[in-house]
Amino acid sequence: MGFLTMDSPFREYLDSDFRKGFGDFFLPLRVKEEELRGLTIGEALARNGIEERLREDTLEGMEDAMDRDLPSFGHVLPHNKASRYLSYEIPGEKGKVIILPGGGYEYVAGFVEGYPIAREFNKLGYSAYVLNYSVGEEARFPRPLFDVAGSVTDIIPPGSRRYALLGFSAGGHLASYFCTREAQAMTAMVARPGALLLGYPVITMRNATHGGSRLRVLGEDMSDARMDMLSVERHIDPGYPPTYCWCGEKDDCVPSKNSHDLEKALRENNVEHDFFYGDFAKHGLGDGHDSPMEGWIGHAAGLLDRWLDDYFF
């Protein structure tokens, strides 16, 4: 595929396998594609109002992760073809955070919910990893679950639970399901994380779900048994990790009922949790910059400090 840089023609992005894997989540097209084909990628980003801060942080962070000295983002391939995850490790870490961006199980939205989040956790003392799990035609369960298990096996010392999973949207479904006993049984008892962090997660496969996520995960078999099997709220037990979650009550992409149902199940099983429901509709806020959720990462990291120290010395 080659490399795409800010100076590459935008038409190369439109025609690339990269776009097929990641979609336009990081590049919401506010004008017709035909009007952008004569521009460079940098010009197209500017035309679409993408924040300069996000572009610079993303590119710099990815250069660090891949040890490449060029402003490139085309080396991150979809569907696990390049690598299972990107590492943002720091010396003297407090612990590790494995990040699962959203994308409706259609793509991995790492440019909004992956790399910038990893850099913020680095600043707060945590090594971070952004997982490229199976999506699109490869999203049928249990394949994405095995991607998480394989990454945990690679990253976390055997038997250790001094790490957190952080999942957004569909990645929140994958992260939260990984923490269930059922997932434990399917993944040869890979250690559950010591904490779970979630942003506007998909939790259920029932009526309140995100339809695209359900279709790609279940395929055409949407029997009651299959939907219940992958509805996280039905599989919470007292050993579930302490959980922090936030979402908007008016979210019109993933209804807040997903988070409410999870909170209810955690409460019934006496699992420590901290949930925040904001009075906003926006989905995909990522690090929360310039939004009602600005600062959520610092709050989550504070909980993580305590949870990992309380449970795992």
Side-chain angles (χ1 to χ4, degrees), residues 98-125:
I98 299 175
I99 302 167
L100 283 65
Y105 283 109
E106 181 178 9
Y107 48 86
V108 178
F111 286 89
V112 174
E113 297 167 349
Y115 318 114
I117 311 301
R119 289 169 60 78
E120 291 303 311
F121 272 95
N122 281 172
K123 295 174 186 176
L124 295 168

Side-chain angles (χ1 to χ4, degrees), residues 208-222:
T209 193
H210 174 254
S213 295
R214 178 170 63 184
L215 177 62
R216 282 177 278 276
V217 166
L218 294 178
E220 300 301 322
D221 182 4
M222 294 192 188

Side-chain angles (χ1 to χ4, degrees), residues 157-282:
S160 173
R161 294 183 63 189
R162 195 173 179 83
Y163 76 100
L165 284 184
L166 166 55
F168 294 90
S169 196
H173 175 261
L174 182 54
S176 59
Y177 188 80
F178 181 82
C179 296
T180 65
R181 285 182 299 186
E182 288 72 15
Q184 288 276 285
M186 296 173 68
T187 57
M189 302 305 288
V190 173
R192 286 198 267 200
L196 175 65
L197 311 176
L198 301 170
Y200 37 86
V202 176
I203 295 297
T204 188
M205 289 289 116
R206 288 292 191 165
N207 292 338
T209 193
H210 174 254
S213 295
R214 178 170 63 184
L215 177 62
R216 282 177 278 276
V217 166
L218 294 178
E220 300 301 322
D221 182 4
M222 294 192 188
S223 63
D224 287 347
R226 287 272 289 167
M227 287 191 291
D228 288 349
M229 181 184 74
L230 292 180
S231 291
V232 177
E233 77 277 10
R234 294 174 176 266
H235 303 290
I236 304 300
D237 70 283
Y240 203 80
T243 300
Y244 168 71
C245 176
W246 64 274
C247 69
E249 286 283 26
K250 300 173 184 177
D251 192 324
D252 59 1
C253 181
V254 177
S256 64
K257 187 178 188 305
N258 282 262
S259 296
H260 282 290
D261 286 352
L262 176 61
E263 184 181 19
K264 179 175 182 289
L266 293 171
R267 186 169 57 248
E268 290 174 347
N269 283 275
N270 296 312
V271 176
E272 188 171 358
H273 58 276
D274 186 322
F275 277 54
F276 177 82
Y277 302 96
D279 185 23
F280 57 87
K282 180 90 172 155

